[in-house]
Amino acid sequence: MPLFKRILIANRGEIAVRVIRACRELGIKTVAVYSDVEKDSLHIKLADEAICIGPAPSIQSYLNIPAIISAAEITDAEAIHPGYGFLAENPHFEEACITSGITFIGPSTENIRLGGDKAKARRTMKQKGVPVVPGSDGTVHDEKEVRKIIKKIGIPVIIKASAGGGGKGMRIVYDEKEIENAFHMAQREAMAAFGKGDLYVEKYITEMRHIEVQILADNRGNVVHLGERDCSVQRRHQKLIEESPYSFSTPRFRKKIGDLAVKAARAMKYRNAGTIEFIVDNNGNIYFMEINTRVQVEHPVTEMITGVDIVKEQIKLAAGEELSYKQQDIKLTGHSIECRINAEDPEKFIPCPGKIISFIPPGGPGVRVDTVAYSGWVVPSHYDSLIAKVITCGKTRDEAITRMRRALGEFIIEGINTTIPFYLKILDNPDFLAGNFNTHFLEKFNNNKK
Ligand code: MV4
């Protein structure tokens, strides 16, 4: 008996393909959904069935809850995998699934709500003894409260939107004169982007690494972590390179951050797969930042060094299976790195949709390519421009990087521009090679070019 007879994948792109692959290995039939412009997409070709759910704009298709629920009902899908983005962290979508008797493959609605309320998540973690950056206790309601916090912890501080994400509704205060303006700008931006103006305050850590921990939790309270990922190489709050382990990781560091992640997951009665994001400062202090209640783009680097298939685990956990292993059974081997290849101008990062004339992905030892593209496919202009992820692994960080350089060098994509040339430059940067970077690495990297 398979876990489910049929799963609908409420997504597109490489992640839809990734989920279909997991289902096939588990003996589960798949239903793909697509918009008017995606009937020739790879996820449609690979799925057992496919249903059109609306016109190209996401709001009418991949974000269209009634259309997706209807597609699941028509095809007798017992469960829905939301992938990442779109409806993955929308508690209303999960509720709609539950109401229709469909299993949502992911955490509980309470988990998703807490993940989306960053001020509340911060307060919860602080209460449960997970360290957070000094700052507000929950939300701040006016600039006077911000001033009071600054009196206590000093400047700089960062004002963040509680519903935030993607750097929207965020302002750094370097000078007390800026408090009022920063508060109102952040509030206005948060209101416009999320329809909610709630803000919170943290001490601004000027040099930080963004390090996150993958966790898996079953419905009986068992939680394991799969080690850390360093996602510090980002541009405009978009991660570009991720790796595992963190280049200066030690068994001691991994145990410390892993234990904190497990503690955070337990504190919120987390279930299914998730990620706890941390700030690590220059002194090695670890602070809770956010919870991501979805499978993430960068999950393959963890799969490469643990041998755990995170998407299959998500499906098994959603079916009510217990975790079949304990923390001590998780062994980390070697090093893995991921580059996100976008259909974009490699200098200006402007999207470059259009027809791919030739697409020949790399292969060979230690190379994995998760992609939705093929020769002749037209990259649509309506969605995210991620077209492929190249993931390499090796015994050491150097070997993983050497393989990445080799793999990106082999990759042939003709007809559109991609960000491959940009990655090849980073892979030759001495600071990157030395593991000597933080979240501001690319700002400096780009300034040096000019
Ligand atoms: C921070 C921070 C420093 N201190 N929080 C949060 C969302 C993520 N995309 C960026 N975030 C940051 N949170 C504290 N307490 C630094 C960043 C940050 C950042 C902030 C402003 C401008 C550019 C940035 C680039 C990376 C990280």
Side-chain angles (χ1 to χ4, degrees), residues 202-226:
E202 284 178 354
K203 178 92 191 160
Y204 181 64
I205 310 293
T206 49
E207 296 195 343
M208 59 166 265
R209 279 175 100 118
H210 171 133
I211 297 185
E212 58 184 34
V213 179
Q214 177 72 53
I215 55 134
L216 296 174
D218 65 22
N219 302 345
R220 312 217 171 116
N222 301 303
V223 186
V224 297
H225 74 82
L226 302 181

Side-chain angles (χ1 to χ4, degrees), residues 106-403:
S108 67
T109 49
E110 293 75 28
N111 294 162
I112 291 180
R113 285 215 164 79
L114 190 64
D117 185 343
K118 284 150 213 231
K120 191 171 171 191
R122 188 181 135 80
R123 191 148 43 96
T124 305
M125 293 308 157
K126 196 172 162 185
Q127 275 168 4
K128 303 278 184 172
V130 180
V132 297
V133 185
S136 61
D137 199 18
T139 53
V140 286
H141 304 91
D142 52 43
E143 63 267 21
K144 273 182 281 175
E145 275 190 60
V146 181
R147 206 173 297 277
K148 233 188 266 169
I149 291 162
I150 290 178
K151 284 268 180 302
K152 232 168 67 189
I153 66 172
I155 47 170
V157 298
I158 183 165
I159 304 176
K160 294 181 177 180
S162 191
K168 288 204 191 87
M170 220 162 72
R171 280 289 179 287
I172 304 165
V173 177
Y174 292 101
D175 187 306
E176 292 197 34
K177 287 201 280 285
E178 296 161 5
I179 297 173
E180 189 171 342
N181 192 37
F183 181 88
H184 291 289
M185 295 276 277
Q187 192 171 51
R188 184 139 39 94
E189 219 172 274
M191 203 63 201
F194 317 112
K196 269 182 68 185
D198 289 356
L199 302 174
Y200 65 105
V201 175
E202 284 178 354
K203 178 92 191 160
Y204 181 64
I205 310 293
T206 49
E207 296 195 343
M208 59 166 265
R209 279 175 100 118
H210 171 133
I211 297 185
E212 58 184 34
V213 179
Q214 177 72 53
I215 55 134
L216 296 174
D218 65 22
N219 302 345
R220 312 217 171 116
N222 301 303
V223 186
V224 297
H225 74 82
L226 302 181
E228 79 282 4
R229 295 187 286 254
D230 186 343
C231 307
S232 300
V233 180
Q234 34 185 288
R235 182 183 178 277
R236 303 207 175 148
H237 308 291
Q238 288 274 59
K239 296 166 185 167
L240 293 186
I241 301 180
E242 304 95 349
E243 61 183 297
S244 186
Y246 156 50
S247 46
F248 301 120
S249 196
T250 59
R252 216 177 94 106
F253 174 85
R254 176 159 318 116
K255 176 156 175 34
K256 192 169 162 201
I257 201 165
D259 285 350
L260 286 176
V262 169
K263 191 172 182 178
R266 288 192 199 287
M268 62 184 286
K269 296 193 165 52
Y270 198 83
R271 57 176 176 78
N272 212 277
T275 299
I276 317 292
E277 294 187 343
F278 296 94
I279 290 173
V280 178
D281 71 14
N282 282 344
N283 301 318
N285 295 309
I286 302 170
Y287 305 102
F288 167 85
M289 184 160 59
E290 288 179 18
I291 314 142
N292 289 153
T293 58
R294 60 170 188 276
V295 67
Q296 287 185 280
V297 177
E298 60 271 29
H299 77 276
V301 295
T302 299
E303 295 186 326
M304 298 288 262
I305 66 158
T306 59
V308 175
D309 183 321
I310 294 168
V311 180
K312 284 207 286 201
E313 291 303 308
Q314 284 188 295
I315 295 167
K316 290 198 257 182
L317 292 167
E321 280 202 2
E322 233 175 295
L323 279 173
S324 58
Y325 39 83
K326 301 240 176 312
Q327 190 63 52
Q328 61 264 29
D329 302 320
I330 309 281
K331 296 274 186 289
L332 279 71
T333 313
H335 198 101
S336 179
I337 177 164
E338 172 180 275
C339 291
R340 302 185 182 191
I341 313 304
N342 283 12
E344 287 174 8
D345 178 293
E347 298 279 331
K348 302 192 190 81
F349 293 87
I350 296 162
C352 180
K355 186 168 179 156
I356 298 178
I357 304 302
S358 178
F359 187 87
I360 307 174
V367 177
R368 163 176 170 181
V369 181
D370 279 21
T371 184
V372 72
Y374 59 87
S375 296
W377 182 55
V378 179
V379 183
S381 61
H382 306 79
Y383 315 107
D384 190 275
S385 55
L386 180 74
I387 56 162
K389 304 188 302 203
V390 178
I391 307 106
T392 62
C393 65
K395 286 187 288 298
T396 61
R397 183 170 189 263
D398 282 346
E399 188 175 41
I401 291 174
T402 300
R403 283 185 165 147

